Amino acid sequence: MKWELNALYDSFDDKRFIDDTELLETLIEDFNIWTAQNFKSADNEKDKIEEYLNKYREIGELLDKTYAFARLNLAVDANNELAARYEDKIRSISVKLTEPGVLFRQFLTETSDIDRIIDSSTLLKEHEFFIKEQVKKAQHMLSKKEEMIIARMQQTGSSAWTTLQNQLSSTLMVDIEIDSDLKQLPLPVVRNMYSDKNREKRINAYNAEMKAYSKIEKSSAAALNAIKGEVITLSSMRDYNSPLHMTLETSRMKEETLDAMLSSIKNHLSEFRKFYRKKAELLGHKNGLPFYDIFAPVGEFDKQYSYDDAREFIIRQFAAFSSELADFAKRAFDEKWIDAEPREGKRGGAFCRSIHAIGQSRILANFNGSFSNVTTLAHELGHGFHGYMLKDQSPLNAHYPMPIAETASIFCETIVNNAAFREAEREEQLYLLENELSDAGQVIVDIYSRYLFESKLFELREDGPLSVDKLKKIMTDAQKEAYGEGLDNNYLHPYMWANKPHYYYPTANFYNFPYAFGLLFAKGLYAVYEDEGDAFVPKYSKLLRATGSNMIADIARMADIDVTKEEFWDRSLSLITSKIDKFIELS
């Protein structure tokens, strides 16, 4: 249940790692000299752009490997000082790519006929989307000197605050009473107790978690204020209308798409509240669902999955969709690409890191044997499969935007959920429906509350730093607006801003609505699959391979979907809300 990283390097003492780190630094230094010399004049434009792309790709592959090795080691051991030191070192080295990037964009804007030049080269035609995106980014670019200062200052600014908050949350130990014994447990272990059958254990977990945040609340608030303050300053300097405008640009997404999706979500919130009220009723609550019971199981599904059970079930269900997906998952398990064991010092939650340089992925999870953990593994394997579909693309065409990032993961999750439901008895179906609807509620209702929170946070941060109490109030206000009468307002989660790492990503603001987009887009795709059957599989693979070099609306059109219209989002939401009616019927 622990991953192996030797496909990258054996250790930080590995000669390959040391050599690659030194080579990375040398290549970037040479790259700086080359761009400074060659982008002074506009002659030989095609040759210069081609050489820039080739050099940049080589550096990118090396950076991908070395940084991933440091980052992955740190993810499973927050106290690994060597990993932390190398992560900081490699990140500092990568900052030196800022100047070549600025010079390249300036060179492109001064090029007389970029379309003609692109058409004259096979290499440039392959990277047409990347090149034109750089031209677009140039419109929001500051001077070379200013961009360099910003990049260097971020290392001791927002990046440092991100590292601090990650360290705080990863090492936070929770004091909790279990069977009359006071224990100290990692936060992810305590949060897993929310899905325990025993209500007393769920309440204890909630109370212990809320109390634990007092240890880190002031430091986390300082980090959040610093990061968001920097984002506000930079988005204004770069002439974006707002941080949200900046996020939409980098997400390759039109505002009308976000507006259509959010409007549809808002119109369907009452149906999710109906689900929460019914669940509250089943659990004996009269004033809506208290947060400590938001993940409480309903129905009977006694099966606990061993890691091998989870592996077999996931691969078998993936095979029903496509052999390529099943083969990928089998390889991920067999070659130990997954770290699934919860332990002290390991970060909570789950993620997948695709490493394009070696055509592999690494998946972090905290597996405790529940069916929810099985679906989490399927979800993260979906991310890995997405990366696998892009492995033969140029690395410059392999970076997809945030909203598309959840597409393959939720598609795989849907495969597993639907298969489990078909095989289940009535009481088990009730459990599985509740589990799926709770997960969907997190991605639709809770994500909507997080979007409301971050919007308000940016608005108020304009006037200065926000106190811990103010952050807690903004969060609970957002939860009340999103969940309505579905939740008991006496038991909310005022510390969600300290729990979720997404708020602390300075280059990925509003990392909330992409989850909703991913769920609903994946559901829409799955509906197409149900209509078309096996004929959809190659279309789906083609769509995933295109995600790194197209606008979101164009990707959607490959499946005859218009994401700018509420009708699409309504249809996807109806696929979820119809299961609420089924849940109420079974209960």
Side-chain angles (χ1 to χ4, degrees):
M1 295 176 68
K2 295 182 180 180
W3 58 30
E4 289 185 357
L5 301 179
N6 53 16
L8 289 166
Y9 307 100
D10 293 331
S11 69
F12 290 109
D13 295 325
D14 186 340
K15 187 176 184 300
R16 293 177 301 155
F17 178 77
I18 294 169
D19 288 349
D20 279 355
T21 305
E22 291 176 355
L23 178 59
L24 175 65
E25 196 159 13
T26 299
L27 288 176
I28 292 178
E29 286 176 2
D30 291 345
F31 193 42
N32 273 270
I33 295 169
W34 184 88
T35 52
Q37 290 175 343
N38 283 273
F39 289 153
K40 287 179 179 177
S41 61
D43 59 316
N44 300 318
E45 295 159 317
K46 179 177 76 72
D47 295 340
K48 288 178 180 179
I49 296 172
E50 285 181 335
E51 191 163 355
Y52 176 91
L53 295 182
N54 286 327
K55 290 178 181 293
Y56 189 58
R57 286 195 299 182
E58 181 184 7
I59 291 169
E61 297 277 271
L62 209 54
L63 181 60
D64 189 26
K65 287 175 61 180
T66 53
Y67 187 75
F69 187 69
R71 189 67 185 156
L72 292 170
N73 272 285
L74 195 60
V76 294
D77 182 8
N79 296 310
N80 189 329
E81 294 180 4
L82 195 57
R85 189 157 65 245
Y86 270 112
E87 183 198 36
D88 183 68
K89 178 182 179 179
I90 295 166
R91 196 165 52 207
S92 297
I93 292 171
S94 70
V95 168
K96 297 175 183 176
L97 287 171
T98 302
E99 184 171 343
V102 171
L103 292 173
F104 179 59
R105 292 183 197 117
Q106 286 178 339
F107 183 78
L108 291 176
T109 59
E110 294 165 4
T111 300
S112 56
D113 190 350
I114 192 66
D115 288 325
R116 177 187 58 79
I117 293 170
I118 290 172
D119 289 337
S120 70
S121 165
T122 302
L123 177 66
L124 301 190
K125 194 67 179 173
E126 178 189 358
H127 294 93
E128 181 174 9
F129 183 83
F130 173 81
I131 293 168
K132 290 188 173 179
E133 191 170 50
Q134 299 307 303
V135 173
K136 191 174 183 180
K137 286 180 178 180
Q139 298 171 5
H140 298 284
M141 193 173 63
L142 303 175
S143 70
K144 181 182 75 172
K145 183 177 180 180
E146 287 172 317
E147 291 290 352
M148 284 302 300
I149 291 172
I150 289 168
R152 287 171 179 162
M153 291 295 288
Q154 282 178 321
Q155 297 308 298
T156 50
S158 57
S159 293
W161 286 109
T162 300
T163 300
L164 171 66
Q165 209 282 332
N166 184 59
Q167 175 79 7
L168 290 170
S169 59
S170 296
T171 58
L172 179 62
M173 298 297 288
V174 179
D175 298 315
I176 184 168
E177 186 176 311
I178 299 177
D179 299 328
S180 300
D181 290 333
L182 188 62
K183 297 185 178 182
Q184 275 202 333
L185 297 175
L187 181 59
V189 175
V190 173
R191 284 184 61 80
N192 271 337
M193 293 179 186
Y194 280 119
S195 58
D196 196 275
K197 286 185 177 181
N198 186 301
R199 175 177 290 182
E200 184 179 349
K201 186 177 285 189
R202 298 195 300 268
I203 294 172
N204 284 346
Y206 172 81
N207 290 331
E209 183 193 358
M210 293 303 109
K211 188 176 179 180
Y213 287 119
S214 64
K215 302 175 186 178
I216 66 169
E217 61 179 6
K218 290 185 179 179
S219 300
S220 294
L224 188 61
N225 277 300
I227 291 167
K228 296 308 186 188
E230 181 182 284
V231 171
I232 289 169
T233 299
L234 292 181
S235 65
S236 175
M237 288 175 64
R238 291 188 170 127
D239 202 27
Y240 289 103
N241 297 334
S242 65
L244 178 59
H245 174 220
M246 181 170 66
T247 298
L248 288 170
E249 288 269 315
T250 56
S251 296
R252 303 171 186 167
M253 184 171 168
K254 296 178 180 178
E255 190 170 0
E256 61 182 319
T257 296
L258 179 63
D259 289 344
M261 183 184 74
L262 291 177
S263 176
S264 184
I265 287 173
K266 191 173 181 180
N267 290 335
H268 285 80
L269 287 177
S270 60
E271 295 170 76
F272 283 94
R273 291 167 185 168
K274 185 169 65 174
F275 161 68
Y276 288 120
R277 289 198 305 274
K278 184 62 179 180
K279 181 173 179 177
E281 176 190 321
L282 293 172
L283 294 171
H285 301 296
K286 296 180 179 179
N287 299 316
L289 198 62
F291 197 90
Y292 60 77
D293 270 351
I294 201 167
F295 302 114
V298 172
E300 290 295 328
F301 195 89
D302 294 328
K303 182 173 182 179
Q304 282 289 108
Y305 289 79
S306 69
Y307 191 55
D308 286 340
D309 291 336
R311 174 190 184 279
E312 187 279 330
F313 183 75
I314 289 170
I315 293 173
R316 177 160 53 89
Q317 304 312 330
F318 282 3
F321 174 73
S322 83
S323 58
E324 189 173 29
L325 177 58
D327 290 345
F328 168 80
K330 184 176 185 300
R331 185 181 176 194
F333 281 106
D334 290 349
E335 297 185 13
K336 298 184 179 180
W337 294 3
I338 305 170
D339 195 297
E341 178 191 62
R343 55 190 183 275
E344 186 177 344
K346 178 179 175 180
R347 63 162 284 179
F351 71 78
C352 173
R353 170 72 186 239
S354 291
I355 312 165
H356 190 273
I358 59 173
Q360 297 181 14
S361 299
R362 289 298 181 271
I363 290 166
L364 180 142
N366 285 275
F367 187 79
N368 69 356
S370 69
F371 181 73
S372 178
N373 282 187
V374 176
T375 59
T376 295
L377 283 176
H379 180 104
E380 300 304 334
L381 283 164
H383 282 303
F385 183 69
H386 194 168
Y388 178 78
M389 286 288 95
L390 289 160
K391 69 181 178 63
D392 295 326
Q393 300 288 321
S394 162
L396 304 183
N397 290 336
H399 295 286
Y400 46 80
M402 288 191 299
I404 288 294
E406 295 301 315
T407 302
S409 56
I410 293 174
F411 195 94
C412 285
E413 195 177 319
T414 302
I415 291 172
V416 168
N417 276 328
N418 287 356
F421 187 81
R422 287 193 300 269
E423 296 177 6
E425 302 294 334
R426 179 186 175 92
E427 195 66 17
E428 291 176 331
Q429 286 185 339
L430 181 64
Y431 172 92
L432 292 170
L433 270 176
E434 188 283 323
N435 188 71
E436 182 177 356
L437 289 169
S438 287
D439 287 347
Q442 284 296 290
V443 178
I444 299 299
V445 187
D446 201 68
I447 285 295
Y448 184 66
S449 76
R450 294 185 225 170
Y451 173 81
L452 294 174
F453 168 81
E454 193 160 0
S455 298
K456 194 68 175 178
L457 170 60
F458 272 121
E459 176 190 333
L460 297 180
R461 183 61 184 86
E462 292 268 10
D463 297 326
L466 281 67
S467 67
V468 169
D469 287 342
K470 188 63 177 177
L471 290 169
K472 289 163 66 176
K473 185 177 187 306
I474 298 171
M475 180 56 77
T476 53
D477 285 348
Q479 288 170 354
K480 290 173 185 176
E481 184 174 344
Y483 285 95
E485 69 277 15
L487 285 194
D488 185 337
N489 288 347
N490 294 310
Y491 298 96
L492 300 173
H493 197 310
Y495 285 107
M496 193 62 75
W497 56 271
N499 174 260
K500 296 298 178 184
H502 309 75
Y503 296 120
Y504 301 86
Y505 299 159
T507 57
N509 297 280
F510 287 96
Y511 200 173
N512 35 59
F513 71 76
Y515 284 94
F517 183 101
L519 172 69
L520 297 175
F521 187 55
K523 292 293 184 185
L525 287 174
Y526 198 86
V528 177
Y529 165 57
E530 289 183 318
D531 291 340
E532 298 183 1
D534 291 343
F536 173 78
V537 176
K539 182 188 293 185
Y540 177 67
S541 296
K542 182 181 178 182
L543 182 149
L544 292 181
R545 284 193 291 269
T547 51
S549 54
N550 284 279
M551 297 293 289
I552 282 178
D554 296 329
I555 294 166
R557 273 193 285 271
M558 293 180 181
D560 300 319
I561 290 170
D562 187 348
V563 291
T564 67
K565 304 296 183 185
E566 278 190 50
E567 289 79 4
F568 167 72
W569 304 107
D570 287 340
R571 184 189 179 198
S572 292
L573 278 160
S574 68
L575 294 174
I576 300 170
T577 56
S578 65
K579 294 190 175 185
I580 293 175
D581 296 331
K582 181 68 175 177
F583 172 77
I584 292 173
E585 175 191 328
L586 288 175
S587 58

